[in-house]
Amino acid sequence: MAGNAWINGYLEAILDSGAAAISAEDGNQQRWPVSPVELKDGPGGEDGDGGMGLFNPTRYFVEEVVTGVDETDLHRTWIKVVATRNTRERSSRLENMCWRIWHLARKKKQLEWENYQRAAGRRLEREQGRRDATEDMSEDLSEGEKGDIAGELAPPETPRAKPPKSISDSSWTDDNKGKKLYIVLISLHGLVRGENMELGRDSDTGGQVKYVVELARALAMMPGVYRVDLFTRQISSPEVDWSYGEPTEMLTAGAEDADGNDAGESAGAYIVRIPFGPRDKYLRKELLWPHIQEFVDGALSHILNMARVLGEQVGGGEAVWPYVVHGHYADAGDSAALLSGALSVPMVLTGHSLGRNKLEQLLKQGRQSKEDINATYKIMRRIEAEELSLDAAELVITSTKQEIEEQWGLYDGFDVKLEKVLRARSRRGVNCHGRYMPRMAVIPPGMDFSNVVAQEDGGGEGEGDGAALAAGEGGGPASRAQPPIWYEPMILALSRPDPKKNITTLLKAFGECRPLRELANLTLVMGNRDDIDEMSSGNASVLTTVLKLIDKYDLYGQVAYPKHHKQNDVPEIYRLAAKTKGVFINPALVEPFGLTLIEAAAHGLPMVATQNGGPVDINRALNNGLLVDPHDQKAIADALLKLVADKNLWTECRKNGWKNIHLFSWPEHCRTYLTRVAACRMRHPQWQVDTPLDGMPAEESLGDSLTDFQESSLRLSVDGEKISLNDPDELEKVAEEEDDPELQSQVRRILNKIRRAPAADSSQPAEDSKRGEISSTALSRSPLLRRRRRLFVIALDCYDDSGRPDRRMLQVIQEVFRAVKLDSQLARISGFALTTAMPISETVELLKSGRIRPAEFDALICSSGSEVYYPGTSICVTDDGQLCPDPDYAAHIEYRWERHGVRRTTGKLMSAPDVSSGDSPAATVVDEDVQSSGPHCVSFFVNDCSSAKKVDDLRQKLRMRGLRCHVMYCRNSTRLQVIPLLASRSQALRYLFVRWGLNVANMFVIMGEKGDTDHEEMIAGTHRTIILGGAVEKGSEALLRAAGSYQREDIVPGGNPTTVHTTGGFKAEEILAATRAVSKASSGK
């Protein structure tokens, strides 16, 4: 051991000072590096030897290394070392422990450097993006206006007075009672129910659950709101209560209408539980990501049904679409973005807790690398979901201004300075060239004050209620008097025993301030616990430190720390503290909002709170207390002493809190909420083309008959050889050969209609009669999608090295036709759609090369989902017989699309050097592909894949410049396409559901194992997916994600019963067998 004496000295120093240092570090206290000069022992120093001005290397080691490690189990390891009796083993363990400390310190420094480099790169990229956006937008401004914009971006030398806010929209009042609004809220994770909420059961079932349930109830009682649906996950698992498996749960009946009558049959607030993911498992939120698309499809089905029901009840027969779709947290925000895009209704987002902020905090701790953090928390998938939510949101609701500037300001999709520029241009009526930043609104959470009992304030100037408490209720005998700790002023802290709640600093402040100890007592309500050893290391460390500090300062009889309490005990605890003329304190290092401060104010308690975060806004509104630096324990003690000792100040704060508390009530919250939402750009589905509904008359148009004729000819075709429309007799002969009486009857009925039709005008020129494949008189009014019970969607991305379609694509199309024809029952109810990255011209050319008519498809989804066509319908065929895109879909995806700005910026970015890395790509990475471009698609040839930016990188740069769109590489990495935010191949399928009523769950998507960079989005969802093995050899996935991004398993669910793979090829028989297999598997879920 003699050779390891220096190790003993260092480790003994860890014991003496390391525990406190580690505790402080766990609390996220900011510690600055200590120089050796500062680390000198003085009189009464830690060594206690009175050494004056001598450098202490041991203390320097502890301060520089141990406190920088933040390793909570170092002390536990040391205890094991001490317990080792064998000298050699003890020496070995001591040496290993020191190497461990050195390694952890080195690792932390390395992680800090990597984090610094990432932050610096993001900062440079953001500044460049801001300059680019401002430069592009300044082209159509005058010189004076350019100066104004530059002034908005430049930081002011002196603070400028803020102009008074002008509220253009009046507040939400009872005048809106005539409205019948339908509001959708989404909160996916955790256990959500209306009564007996299991708050604190796990990390996913907390304050957010209570918030969304109370918000739904409060909104349903507002004038003009007819129904509120709160969507969450349906869980039928033995792990949780049966109530979480109920499809619906009523929270409250609706308010009465303007005439005092009952609101209606479907009015009120409801929890709607949508099944997604494994039905028999309760999943933590990090495991829900691959199942988001399945939720979206299920929720969309419910919303469409409810829109029709509400239309019959209060909409005069017209569908009542959601007024707003509001997502809570990242997973629900992702879902709300997809739902609002499919329905074309406004989206609102509340983040609650943000991924980038959590990532920054975890990286600063230095315990885990970014890769480790991502593996544990799926943090990159969460951040991308939040970015997607910012892309689509009209409004982002926050609790505090600090959340806007310090948390949302970390995101690519929100730039405070650029948002000011865009708002200034909007006020002037100047074009923003498609650039957009969501509006942020600070709306504090509401509170239910129904359990707050009104208290008389008559004793505000006297001795208080302590004497009454001491004597017992009603002045009973002394034997019933309460303990002294109950009638002296109570300093109340209520929080989890989390290091960042800073409870230990509060206890030190109380223990070291004798005047405060003489005047008041301290109550620490730190959640519920059974055994400290079974708690998480952080919480256990806090509780252990609390017990040690109580013993150190001899606070027995002055500090209460109850082990258990019930939720309904909390109001009584607040009342007791108020009766003793006590104070509520929240000393957290950073408090995002501070709901307990509002609860305390409602019960008449003044407050002392941290100056970091939400309490600043709360105190500004309530003016009922003092703010302190949570790192300064003397400031905490002084503020508490001031409020406890100065009864006039205490009374004034109490009255102010009661006077202003209505600002945080649920009715006030909902009024502000609805007023803000009403100011958003209102959207809902509107069809330019009037189309008949499902109940069509028996006598259909000739065009509809010819469409049925085409369908019948397709069903009777063999091996891709189609029966000519010009020879009905041939069709009739083939039908007679089929052993299908129903098919024969259908063919005869259609042919009779065609033969009875009047002959065409003989004077019409011959050229006109040959225009297109079907003359205008033969066009149906609308696609047959409404009648389809099944839709086979061919989404095969099969291209050669030049991006031209491979011959296998035609083979698969023909084999799919044959596979459906092999099952006569399936053939009667099925239609076909083709979805591809090619433009319509190349798609039609491909089909013609295989002797396949476009009209044999109910829908063609082209240009990566930016165009939808219905061949053979009057909607999508011009007078000269040319196909044109669905005008309703074009209007639907126009949202936040500005083609010129996207084209110019994308081309510039692809040829510009990477600001963060300094890499300079080749000057001609891409060239514009004019032939493949369209009004809603900007296409580029990719000349050099090795120099092309990944989708993640390019999307980030576009967001930083305020452009919201979808970016994808396609056609075997030979094309880059940029399309509108609401356009994609998967969203186009949901559009068909909304527009024509064909449920996504009744679609079979046939695709290869590889494909374009949107390939993963096409797999997940409620539709059935058939993946053809060997059909596609090369895709574009290599250009999808950059290093450190989320992974494929965060998008594509594993072991999904709605997905099957074929291994033997893509023959008709195998496709039909796969169809039956996936239908059976999905129905058995």
Side-chain angles (χ1 to χ4, degrees), residues 306-619:
M306 186 53 59
R308 284 192 287 267
V309 169
L310 298 182
E312 294 171 0
Q313 292 179 4
V314 296
E318 296 289 332
V320 176
W321 301 105
Y323 187 62
V324 67
V325 177
H326 187 167
H328 294 265
Y329 194 78
D331 48 12
D334 194 345
S335 307
L338 293 173
L339 278 172
S340 69
L343 293 165
S344 190
V345 298
M347 175 201 162
V348 174
L349 172 67
T350 300
H352 291 277
S353 171
L354 301 185
R356 280 204 189 276
N357 189 51
K358 181 170 185 174
L359 177 61
E360 294 287 325
Q361 291 178 354
L362 291 173
L363 288 172
K364 285 178 182 177
Q365 289 179 6
R367 297 182 189 176
Q368 296 174 291
S369 66
K370 185 178 178 181
E371 291 72 24
D372 294 336
I373 294 170
N374 191 32
T376 304
Y377 300 103
K378 306 295 182 184
I379 202 78
M380 299 312 296
R381 177 66 181 89
R382 174 178 169 183
I383 290 172
E384 179 57 26
E386 289 162 341
E387 294 282 11
L388 289 170
S389 302
L390 286 175
D391 288 343
E394 288 278 354
L395 180 69
V396 178
I397 293 176
T398 69
S399 300
T400 64
K401 292 181 179 177
Q402 178 262 354
E403 184 181 343
I404 298 175
E405 297 169 0
E406 298 182 18
Q407 296 186 42
W408 282 118
L410 298 172
Y411 284 77
D412 303 329
F414 183 74
D415 185 329
V416 176
K417 294 182 179 180
L418 186 55
E419 192 271 339
K420 290 180 180 179
V421 172
L422 295 174
R423 199 171 350 129
R425 291 176 67 94
S426 180
R427 283 198 302 264
R428 294 186 177 100
V430 180
N431 185 10
C432 292
H433 297 285
R435 286 171 169 81
Y436 173 83
M437 288 286 163
R439 293 300 303 269
M440 298 275 172
V442 178
I443 308 179
M447 255 200 66
D448 180 10
F449 298 129
S450 59
N451 63 349
V452 177
V453 178
Q455 303 177 39
E456 294 184 6
D457 202 31
E461 312 253 344
E463 294 296 321
D465 299 314
L469 285 169
E473 292 296 328
S479 60
R480 292 193 291 116
Q482 307 296 344
I485 196 172
W486 282 23
Y487 62 80
E488 291 183 1
M490 178 193 291
I491 298 170
L492 174 62
L494 194 154
S495 70
R496 303 187 312 275
D498 192 298
K500 60 190 175 187
K501 295 301 181 181
N502 204 27
I503 296 172
T504 54
T505 301
L506 167 63
L507 198 53
K508 290 176 185 177
F510 181 77
E512 295 179 8
C513 182
R514 182 166 296 277
L516 184 61
R517 291 171 57 180
E518 292 174 352
L519 281 176
N521 294 309
L522 178 63
T523 299
L524 304 175
V525 181
M526 300 178 287
N528 294 293
R529 63 187 183 278
D530 291 320
D531 188 344
I532 293 179
D533 290 337
E534 296 178 358
M535 302 177 70
S536 65
S537 59
N539 290 356
S541 174
V542 171
L543 279 168
T544 302
T545 305
V546 165
L547 296 176
K548 289 181 177 180
L549 289 173
I550 290 173
D551 186 74
K552 176 180 178 179
Y553 295 114
D554 192 16
L555 298 177
Y556 297 103
Q558 290 185 290
V559 177
Y561 43 96
K563 190 171 185 177
H564 294 284
H565 72 279
K566 297 178 181 177
Q567 188 67 27
N568 54 11
D569 292 337
V570 174
E572 294 299 329
I573 296 172
Y574 285 129
R575 292 188 192 105
L576 178 60
K579 280 180 178 292
T580 63
K581 298 203 178 302
V583 177
F584 183 81
I585 180 167
N586 182 337
L589 298 172
V590 177
E591 182 57 64
F593 181 64
L595 199 59
T596 53
L597 297 174
I598 300 172
E599 292 175 347
H603 289 87
L605 267 176
M607 73 171 187
V608 172
T610 176
Q611 64 185 12
N612 300 328
V616 176
D617 293 330
I618 293 174
N619 191 53

Side-chain angles (χ1 to χ4, degrees), residues 61-122:
F61 177 86
V62 172
E63 290 289 340
E64 278 290 272
V65 178
V66 178
T67 62
V69 169
D70 191 18
E71 186 72 354
T72 56
D73 64 343
L74 273 178
H75 184 266
R76 205 171 302 164
T77 305
W78 165 251
I79 295 299
K80 292 180 181 178
V81 171
V82 171
T84 304
R85 295 181 179 272
N86 185 285
T87 304
R88 180 174 296 179
E89 183 180 350
R90 177 186 173 96
S91 177
S92 176
R93 288 194 177 188
L94 286 170
E95 185 176 356
N96 289 339
M97 188 173 176
C98 286
W99 277 112
R100 179 181 173 196
I101 293 171
W102 175 83
H103 173 71
L104 289 170
R106 181 172 176 269
K107 180 181 177 183
K108 182 175 182 181
K109 292 292 184 184
Q110 181 180 356
L111 292 175
E112 287 176 349
W113 173 245
E114 292 174 358
N115 187 37
Y116 171 79
Q117 287 182 310
R118 277 193 296 266
R122 279 180 52 80

Side-chain angles (χ1 to χ4, degrees), residues 903-921:
R903 181 184 65 81
R904 183 171 58 178
T905 304
T906 304
K908 186 187 300 184
L909 288 173
M910 289 298 292
S911 299
D914 194 322
V915 174
S916 58
S917 66
D919 296 337
S920 180

Side-chain angles (χ1 to χ4, degrees), residues 16-87:
D16 293 337
S17 62
I22 290 167
S23 175
E25 189 70 20
D26 276 345
N28 292 331
Q29 295 194 38
Q30 191 171 11
R31 301 186 60 88
W32 299 101
V34 183
S35 67
V37 177
E38 295 172 321
L39 293 169
K40 297 179 180 179
D41 290 334
E46 290 195 19
D47 287 346
D49 57 4
M52 301 258 320
L54 297 176
F55 171 67
N56 184 340
T58 300
R59 186 178 172 196
Y60 177 70
F61 177 86
V62 172
E63 290 289 340
E64 278 290 272
V65 178
V66 178
T67 62
V69 169
D70 191 18
E71 186 72 354
T72 56
D73 64 343
L74 273 178
H75 184 266
R76 205 171 302 164
T77 305
W78 165 251
I79 295 299
K80 292 180 181 178
V81 171
V82 171
T84 304
R85 295 181 179 272
N86 185 285
T87 304

Side-chain angles (χ1 to χ4, degrees), residues 279-311:
R279 302 297 186 263
D280 58 345
K281 290 183 181 179
Y282 172 57
L283 299 180
R284 58 187 175 91
K285 59 179 176 288
E286 289 83 7
L287 301 179
L288 291 178
W289 292 113
H291 309 289
I292 293 295
Q293 301 257 10
E294 185 182 356
F295 164 78
V296 171
D297 292 339
L300 186 60
S301 179
H302 173 88
I303 291 173
L304 292 177
N305 289 334
M306 186 53 59
R308 284 192 287 267
V309 169
L310 298 182

Side-chain angles (χ1 to χ4, degrees), residues 32-330:
W32 299 101
V34 183
S35 67
V37 177
E38 295 172 321
L39 293 169
K40 297 179 180 179
D41 290 334
E46 290 195 19
D47 287 346
D49 57 4
M52 301 258 320
L54 297 176
F55 171 67
N56 184 340
T58 300
R59 186 178 172 196
Y60 177 70
F61 177 86
V62 172
E63 290 289 340
E64 278 290 272
V65 178
V66 178
T67 62
V69 169
D70 191 18
E71 186 72 354
T72 56
D73 64 343
L74 273 178
H75 184 266
R76 205 171 302 164
T77 305
W78 165 251
I79 295 299
K80 292 180 181 178
V81 171
V82 171
T84 304
R85 295 181 179 272
N86 185 285
T87 304
R88 180 174 296 179
E89 183 180 350
R90 177 186 173 96
S91 177
S92 176
R93 288 194 177 188
L94 286 170
E95 185 176 356
N96 289 339
M97 188 173 176
C98 286
W99 277 112
R100 179 181 173 196
I101 293 171
W102 175 83
H103 173 71
L104 289 170
R106 181 172 176 269
K107 180 181 177 183
K108 182 175 182 181
K109 292 292 184 184
Q110 181 180 356
L111 292 175
E112 287 176 349
W113 173 245
E114 292 174 358
N115 187 37
Y116 171 79
Q117 287 182 310
R118 277 193 296 266
R122 279 180 52 80
R123 185 171 61 253
L124 289 172
E125 185 61 52
R126 168 158 286 185
E127 292 172 356
Q128 182 63 45
R130 197 180 295 146
R131 286 194 297 269
D132 289 350
T134 308
E135 179 183 340
D136 291 344
M137 292 188 297
S138 296
E139 293 181 358
D140 54 357
L141 295 179
S142 65
E143 291 301 321
E145 289 174 323
K146 289 180 182 179
D148 292 342
I149 295 297
E152 289 282 355
L153 283 176
E157 296 180 3
T158 57
R160 292 180 295 182
K162 294 183 178 180
K165 293 183 179 179
S166 60
I167 303 176
S168 57
D169 300 284
S170 58
S171 297
W172 196 268
T173 64
D174 289 346
D175 296 339
N176 293 288
K177 274 190 174 181
K179 296 182 177 180
K180 302 293 183 181
L181 303 182
Y182 174 34
I183 294 176
V184 170
L185 308 178
I186 307 174
S187 182
L188 297 184
H189 62 261
L191 299 171
V192 182
R193 65 182 179 189
E195 302 298 334
N196 301 317
M197 287 179 273
E198 300 182 72
L199 302 181
R201 183 186 188 274
D202 55 33
S203 60
D204 292 350
T205 309
Q208 179 181 326
V209 171
K210 181 181 179 183
Y211 173 84
V212 294
V213 169
E214 291 186 354
L215 174 62
R217 284 194 176 113
L219 282 173
M221 303 307 295
M222 292 299 292
V225 177
Y226 185 76
R227 181 180 174 102
V228 179
D229 278 343
L230 169 57
F231 286 91
T232 190
R233 181 172 179 242
Q234 184 184 34
I235 308 165
S236 302
S237 168
E239 304 172 49
V240 300
D241 190 73
W242 63 269
S243 59
Y244 300 111
E246 291 295 297
T248 59
E249 176 186 345
M250 175 182 276
L251 293 174
T252 183
E256 296 179 344
D257 63 15
D259 300 324
N261 302 317
D262 289 340
E265 180 182 352
S266 300
Y270 296 81
I271 295 176
V272 178
R273 298 185 178 92
I274 303 295
F276 65 100
R279 302 297 186 263
D280 58 345
K281 290 183 181 179
Y282 172 57
L283 299 180
R284 58 187 175 91
K285 59 179 176 288
E286 289 83 7
L287 301 179
L288 291 178
W289 292 113
H291 309 289
I292 293 295
Q293 301 257 10
E294 185 182 356
F295 164 78
V296 171
D297 292 339
L300 186 60
S301 179
H302 173 88
I303 291 173
L304 292 177
N305 289 334
M306 186 53 59
R308 284 192 287 267
V309 169
L310 298 182
E312 294 171 0
Q313 292 179 4
V314 296
E318 296 289 332
V320 176
W321 301 105
Y323 187 62
V324 67
V325 177
H326 187 167
H328 294 265
Y329 194 78

Side-chain angles (χ1 to χ4, degrees), residues 264 327 561 897 926:
Y561 43 96
W897 173 250
V926 296

